[in-house]
Every structure is written in C-alpha cells, then in structure tokens.
Amino acid sequence: MTPGFACDIGAGSGRDANWLAQKGWEVIAVDPSRGMRELAIAKSHSNVTWLDDSLPELSRLRALGHRFDLVLLSAVWQHVPPSQRERTFRILTELLKPGGTLVITLRHGSDEPENRERGFHPVSAAELAVFAQRRAVVMRDPVTQPDQTRTHVQWETVVFSI
C-alpha cells in the first residue's frame, strides 16, 4: 500500500502510528487517555499528530473534515458496546477517501473474568460483515492468529475497502 494519510483510532502507546509514520505515512493518532497520549507524544515520530477524542462519536476528528487513505482500529472494537457498533462503523467508513481501507483487529479472549473486569464485549467478523453489506463496503476474508504471549487470546484482522 502506498503511504498516504492515515488515522490510528485508539492509538494507545503510538506503536502502530509511529510504524506507519516510519513507512512514510502522515498519521493522526487518536486516543482518549491523556496520560497515554502524553507518554506517546514524548516518543512520537514527527509525522504523527495526536488528538484527544474517542469512539463512538469521534467529534473532534470529524470536525477536522479530513478523509483518510487508511483508518486503523487495533484492539479497540471490543470496547464499543454492541448497541453503538453499527453507527460507529458508519462513522469510520465516512472517514475514508474513495478507495480507502479500514482495518479492524478483533480481540477474542476466552478468560471471561478478565473480559468482564476490563469491560470487553464479545466481537465477531460476522457482525462487521452485516454492517459492511448495509454500507456497500467490501470486506476481505478475515485472518486469525494467536496472541504472541497469551494463550487465551486470539486476534482476528478484518479489512474493508470503500
């Protein structure tokens, strides 16, 4: 994929945003945690701009009026309550330029006490497929892989194109 303009939503430590910036992307990194943003800004690539905002509204990001070649949600979707997901998916796809790509990684964890404690909701690619179909967005086949350190966690990457 040719570098362009990307948005990393729920950017956390900035790992993915910085990786994209090192590959030539201009990135807006969005995270609602002030403490996390402050730590991340201190070690951020010069092509990464940080923004205080959060799902599902992304009101500050949307007010900027940007459209992105790539929107990334890595390990974020399980935080979005099921009742807000379809609207959130619509907002995410509206942030894309024509020909843009949306990447969502889904966390599947089998430790129910941890899921409850951390406020994780169950997620599925099948749910996202329904949202994509309703918006006429192309969904590629999901790819699943185990977590590198936790045996009870698997990650599923789902890619959408406008």
Side-chain angles (χ1 to χ4, degrees):
M1 183 177 235
T2 304
F5 195 31
C7 185
D8 183 2
I9 298 173
S13 68
R15 180 195 65 208
D16 296 331
N18 284 317
W19 183 85
L20 287 167
Q22 290 168 1
K23 299 293 181 189
W25 290 82
E26 177 141 351
V27 183
I28 293 184
V30 177
D31 202 275
S33 168
R34 179 180 177 188
M36 190 67 84
R37 280 191 324 277
E38 287 175 355
L39 289 172
I41 288 169
K43 57 183 178 173
S44 251
H45 189 283
S46 60
N47 284 358
V48 177
T49 301
W50 284 87
L51 182 65
D52 175 10
D53 207 351
S54 63
L55 291 170
E57 295 300 320
L58 296 171
S59 55
R60 290 182 183 108
L61 178 66
R62 291 167 54 206
L64 297 175
H66 296 307
R67 295 294 175 259
F68 300 93
D69 300 295
L70 174 66
V71 172
L72 174 65
L73 272 83
S74 183
V76 173
W77 195 249
Q78 73 273 7
H79 294 287
V80 180
S83 63
Q84 297 177 353
R85 288 188 183 155
E86 187 163 13
R87 182 170 188 278
T88 301
F89 187 84
R90 178 185 56 77
I91 289 169
L92 294 171
T93 58
E94 288 173 352
L95 289 170
L96 292 170
K97 292 179 181 177
T101 301
L102 168 63
V103 178
I104 300 176
T105 58
L106 303 175
R107 181 190 187 278
H108 301 289
S110 61
D111 184 337
E112 288 306 317
E114 177 189 23
N115 292 342
R116 277 192 304 279
E117 181 182 313
R118 296 181 68 188
F120 294 159
H121 303 281
V123 294
S124 76
E127 176 189 51
L128 290 170
V130 171
F131 299 158
Q133 184 177 29
R134 290 178 183 159
R135 302 235 357 112
V137 173
V138 176
M139 178 176 147
R140 299 186 202 146
D141 289 335
V143 175
T144 302
Q145 55 191 164
D147 189 272
Q148 294 180 3
T149 59
R150 298 166 292 180
T151 58
H152 68 283
V153 175
Q154 288 196 4
W155 296 97
E156 187 174 24
T157 303
V158 190
V159 179
F160 305 89
S161 301
I162 300 295

